Amino acid sequence: MKRKGNSCLIAVAMGVVFLVMVVFYGTISPQPSAAAPNTDYRLLGKPLYKLDISWPKYTEHFTGEVFGVAVNQVAGLVYVAQRGENVPKVLVFSMDGDFLQTWNTSTLEMPHGIFLSNASSNPTVWITDVGNGPFGHTIKQYSPSGKLLQVLGTAGEAGSSVSPLQFDQPAEIFVHSSGDIYIVDGDGGLNNRLIKLSKDLQVQWMHGEKGAGLGQFYIPHSVTVDSYQRVWVADRGNKRIQVFNSLTGDWLGSWGSCFSEDAPYSVRLTPDQKYFVVVQLNTNQISLLEAPPVGVIGQCRVASVIQLAEDIKPHLVDLDLKTGALYVAEIGAQQAQKFTPFTLGGGFL
Ligand SMILES: *[C@@H]1O[C@H](CO)[C@@H](O)[C@H](O)[C@H]1NC(C)=O
Ligand SMILES: *[C@@H]1O[C@H](CO)[C@@H](O)[C@H](O)[C@H]1NC(C)=O
């Protein structure tokens, strides 16, 4: 009797799961072939963003693994970094999705993180290079058209020194409007550190120990600074986000409860500073987490999730700080996509 009751329950449960799947997936077309853009997704929680399928206009420019995106909200440009043999490493698009140019640079081996600084007066593009060749293990600053301006680190030599500065697969860089530079180093090499440099490249403070303790890291992957002098780091290998005081480097807190299933890969903020945008590569999710008030770190809370289809593998994101539009680099689908905020209820416009 008991067994029969259980199988009845299981049948009912399966029916419910099936219904839920129909409701969620019912309006979504079947998975397209690998070459076509993969535009499947569904929204969970508060609907904050929707896919803009008109961006970019032609997806055939994506010829490699798309690793990172950076937005210049003033010039209206989106830089997409991709990896692979004999592929242009940087593609430049307009916000309307027109393809504008590629960078024909031979100075970039394997881009990882990409960041646009000083959009309003003198924009430049910073790219971390995790390549093993003569230009690798560095962070490079380029003009908007791809002219190499500056190299941080010791090209071609992985290392842990701070004088001279060395990196091992530096994952991402954030350049504050003050000129201060924050670097997470790295993406699985010797180093597990967060470094703050002054504008003239002097080390201000550093957290450099590998481990799972407070202020230690395991594959620090993405970094951003909010408007309240707090540095947020996606500590990927430890499945948590750690928070530091940007002036002193003091540890302020840690968020882990949102990431039990999959690690945070990116950390960025919406322009109104209300939400963090965190992607989780293995679960194919872009999550919007509520940003805590000043003086509080507390526990993380997920407000909304953009659930992408399997194997899309979102890696890093960036936002248009004027409109709140969100661009995501997807390694699995080998494409970048644009999501725009809902104007009603989203609160960005
Ligand atoms: C890059 O190279 C291609 C092919 O040689 C050329 O058509 C294009 O104009 C070049 N772009 C830049 C920005 O130099
Ligand atoms: C931004 O560009 C202006 C003009 O070149 C320059 O004076 C300023 O120092 C730059 N700011 C940063 C943070 O690099």
Side-chain angles (χ1 to χ4, degrees):
M1 279 303 280
K2 193 147 187 273
R3 197 171 284 166
K4 197 167 185 189
N6 276 348
S7 48
C8 251
L9 265 182
I10 289 167
V12 168
M14 283 174 71
V16 168
V17 166
F18 178 74
L19 269 178
V20 166
M21 286 174 70
V22 168
V23 168
F24 280 132
Y25 287 108
T27 56
I28 291 171
S29 55
Q31 190 131 328
S33 70
N38 192 334
T39 56
D40 291 359
Y41 75 106
R42 62 194 159 102
L43 297 176
L44 308 173
K46 198 168 163 183
L48 293 175
Y49 276 92
K50 58 179 185 296
L51 179 67
D52 178 350
I53 52 160
S54 70
W55 194 96
K57 287 182 180 146
Y58 302 102
T59 52
E60 64 264 28
H61 298 290
F62 300 130
T63 47
E65 288 185 319
V66 174
F67 258 73
V69 281
V71 182
N72 181 337
Q73 74 277 7
V74 176
L77 299 175
V78 182
Y79 297 85
V80 177
Q82 57 174 15
R83 285 186 192 173
E85 293 292 319
N86 303 315
V87 303
K89 298 299 193 295
V90 177
L91 309 170
V92 189
F93 294 90
S94 76
M95 277 169 184
D96 295 332
D98 290 310
F99 170 73
L100 302 176
Q101 68 167 129
T102 59
W103 285 4
N104 293 342
T105 180
S106 57
T107 56
L108 194 53
E109 289 171 6
M110 208 186 261
H112 187 271
I114 176 166
F115 184 83
L116 192 123
S117 72
N118 214 350
S120 51
S121 46
N122 184 18
T124 57
V125 182
W126 299 79
I127 300 179
T128 71
D129 191 335
V130 298
N132 281 315
F135 286 103
H137 299 299
T138 52
I139 301 173
K140 282 164 275 205
Q141 185 185 22
Y142 291 94
S143 77
S145 58
K147 183 170 170 274
L148 182 62
L149 303 174
Q150 183 180 200
V151 179
L152 309 187
T154 308
E157 279 178 46
S160 300
S161 164
V162 287
S163 174
L165 202 52
Q166 284 186 311
F167 304 111
D168 190 351
Q169 302 183 39
E172 203 178 65
I173 180 169
F174 180 96
V175 183
H176 193 264
S177 56
S178 62
D180 293 333
I181 296 171
Y182 300 82
I183 293 163
V184 277
D185 172 35
D187 190 41
L190 293 168
N191 303 326
N192 290 276
R193 28 184 217 185
L194 165 65
I195 306 170
K196 179 183 181 184
L197 301 177
S198 61
K199 201 173 180 172
D200 56 359
L201 306 179
Q202 300 304 305
V203 177
Q204 303 299 290
W205 51 257
M206 180 170 87
H207 288 280
E209 266 176 56
K210 180 178 179 178
L214 306 185
Q216 298 179 326
F217 294 106
Y218 182 40
I219 312 184
H221 196 257
S222 181
V223 57
T224 198
V225 180
D226 69 14
S227 303
Y228 312 109
Q229 296 171 339
R230 297 183 293 197
V231 187
W232 298 78
V233 177
D235 184 9
R236 195 183 102 186
N238 287 322
K239 290 188 167 180
R240 65 184 178 184
I241 285 177
Q242 294 200 78
V243 196
F244 301 86
N245 180 309
S246 67
L247 299 178
T248 61
D250 289 341
W251 181 89
L252 298 177
S254 175
W255 280 355
S257 59
C258 296
F259 310 115
S260 54
E261 246 191 283
D262 193 14
Y265 278 66
S266 71
V267 59
R268 284 286 184 276
L269 277 152
T270 54
D272 59 9
Q273 306 267 305
K274 273 170 81 171
Y275 299 104
F276 286 98
V277 182
V278 174
V279 301
Q280 289 157 284
L281 179 137
N282 300 294
T283 52
N284 301 290
Q285 290 175 324
I286 306 169
S287 298
L288 285 111
L289 312 183
E290 286 173 18
V294 183
V296 177
I297 302 299
Q299 287 300 309
C300 57
R301 284 171 49 183
V302 179
S304 179
V305 174
I306 304 169
Q307 177 67 60
L308 304 169
E310 223 177 295
D311 297 329
I312 289 211
K313 300 198 187 305
H315 183 245
L316 288 171
V317 296
D318 201 20
L319 283 99
D320 177 338
L321 297 178
K322 252 189 196 163
T323 65
L326 149 57
Y327 294 84
V328 55
E330 299 168 348
I331 300 178
Q334 308 210 346
Q335 64 186 8
Q337 287 189 301
K338 176 184 185 179
F339 290 84
T340 52
F342 282 105
T343 48
L344 294 175
F348 300 123
L349 297 176

